[in-house]
Amino acid sequence: MAIYEFYCPTCREKFEQRRPMSSAGEPATCARGHRAERVLSMFAVPKGAAVAEAPAGGCCGGGGCACASAN
């Protein structure tokens, strides 16, 4: 089971729904029965949290992508 976020444009509210990943693309309705749209979830990182350093060779750990050239 995964948690998905939805937005109801009629009510202008976001809500979460738990459903199997196989049902991720199915339509959802809000508590009032309006059609809701699935939205991308935002993940929070606490302010001041330490950020891990990228391994040598870039974030992919070996320079196999453009990330290595950005450093």
Side-chain angles (χ1 to χ4, degrees), residues 8 57-58:
C8 175

Side-chain angles (χ1 to χ4, degrees), residues 4-68:
Y4 296 97
E5 272 187 55
F6 293 91
Y7 174 74
C8 175
T10 306
C11 299
R12 295 184 179 160
E13 292 183 9
K14 278 188 180 181
F15 63 94
E16 295 177 344
Q17 234 182 41
R18 230 179 163 165
R19 52 172 57 180
M21 292 177 80
S22 61
S23 301
E26 293 179 10
T29 56
C30 72
R32 295 183 182 145
H34 304 122
R35 184 177 170 90
E37 304 165 358
R38 190 168 153 207
V39 295
L40 294 177
S41 300
M42 300 298 289
F43 294 96
V45 176
K47 188 175 181 178
V51 177
E53 291 290 324
C59 67
C60 294
C65 68
C67 298

